[in-house]
Amino acid sequence: MEHTDTIGKILFTQEQIWRRAEELGQEISEDYAGEQVVLIGTLKGAVPFMADLMKNISLDVEIDFVAASSYGSGTESSGEVILKHDITLDLTDKHVILVEDIIDTGNTIKALKAYLQKRGPKSVSICTLLDKPARRKVDVKGDYIGFVVEDLFIVGYGLDFNQKYRNLPYISYLEG
Ligand code: IMP
Ligand code: MG
C-alpha cells in the first residue's frame, strides 16, 4: 500500500489488539457483574477499539459516543475541551466506562470525565487502547489499559494523522 507519510514498524497487530480486548472485556464483565454499564466511545479514534471491546463484554451494555476537541497549539491538546457531539443516553445511576484511543497529555480524558460526572452516573472509569505516560501533563489514569506506548506519533486502528490512517488494521507510528 502507498501512503503519503512513512509508516514505521507494526507495534501491535490486529490479532494482538483483539486478544487484549478479550482480556479487558473479561475484566470489565467481572468488575461490573450485575450492574448497568454504559460504554461511551470518543469519536472518531476509539471506534475500532470500541467495536472489539464491546463484543468481549458479556453484560447488557448500552453504548454511546462523544466527540471532543481541544484548543491547543499544533499537536498538543490544551485543557480547554469543546464538545462537538454529545451523548444521547441518560446516565443517571449507571456505571460509565469512557473508551478512548489514547491518553497523551491527559487533558481530553480529564475534561470528559469531569463532564460526564455531572450527568448523574454511579461511577465513571476509563478504558483506553493506548497510554503514552511520557507526555502526561495532568493527573489522570486509565482504569483499563490496552498497551503502553513510547513517545511516538501513533497511527492506525482509529488513530489519525491529519485524519488519515485510522483505517490501518494495526497500530504503527509515523517515522520522522
Ligand atoms: P490528550 O488530550 O493530550 O490526552 O490527547 C488526546 C487525543 O489526542 C487523543 O484522543 C488522540 O485523538 C490525540 N492523540 C494523542 N496522541 C496521539 C498519537 O500519538 N497519535 C494520534 N493521535 C494522538
Ligand atoms: Mg485524534
Side-chain angles (χ1 to χ4, degrees):
M1 208 195 290
E2 281 196 29
H3 301 299
T4 323
D5 308 281
T6 309
I7 309 289
K9 289 190 295 250
I10 294 180
L11 298 176
F12 307 103
T13 65
Q14 193 162 25
E15 291 70 27
Q16 286 174 304
I17 299 163
W18 174 261
R19 278 204 296 276
R20 192 70 190 113
E22 280 182 327
E23 291 170 353
L24 293 173
Q26 199 176 333
E27 239 184 276
I28 289 168
S29 305
E30 286 164 12
D31 292 353
Y32 292 90
E35 303 286 345
Q36 269 190 292
V37 175
V38 184
L39 298 178
I40 301 182
T42 56
L43 296 171
K44 304 164 194 172
V47 167
F49 174 55
M50 173 92 156
D52 286 355
L53 183 71
M54 68 188 199
K55 285 179 280 185
N56 285 297
I57 297 176
S58 57
L59 308 169
D60 291 330
V61 295
E62 294 177 279
I63 71 160
D64 211 336
F65 291 93
V66 281
S69 75
S70 72
Y71 285 121
S73 56
T75 55
E76 192 156 304
S77 71
S78 73
E80 239 184 301
V81 173
I82 315 146
L83 218 60
K84 296 270 188 70
H85 170 81
D86 202 353
I87 48 167
T88 57
L89 294 175
D90 180 10
L91 304 182
T92 314
D93 292 331
K94 293 172 186 168
H95 292 280
V96 169
I97 302 175
L98 194 48
V99 182
E100 252 288 24
D101 53 355
I102 189 166
I103 307 178
D104 186 32
T105 64
N107 282 320
T108 307
I109 207 75
K110 191 174 187 187
L112 279 177
K113 187 172 177 177
Y115 171 76
L116 293 171
Q117 270 163 340
K118 290 185 198 146
R119 309 280 292 253
K122 263 191 188 165
S123 69
V124 181
S125 66
I126 296 165
C127 178
T128 187
L129 171 59
L130 300 173
D131 187 12
K132 208 198 280 182
R135 301 225 329 147
R136 198 64 34 89
K137 290 268 169 67
V138 294
D139 181 31
V140 63
K141 272 201 202 79
D143 301 284
Y144 303 94
I145 294 165
F147 303 101
V148 175
V149 291
E150 285 173 52
D151 190 5
L152 297 164
F153 195 83
I154 306 292
V155 291
Y157 225 80
L159 290 102
D160 72 301
F161 173 59
N162 290 338
Q163 298 300 327
K164 287 183 299 185
Y165 312 123
R166 293 191 197 277
N167 59 317
L168 297 179
Y170 50 82
I171 292 168
S172 185
Y173 56 92
L174 289 187
E175 299 256 31

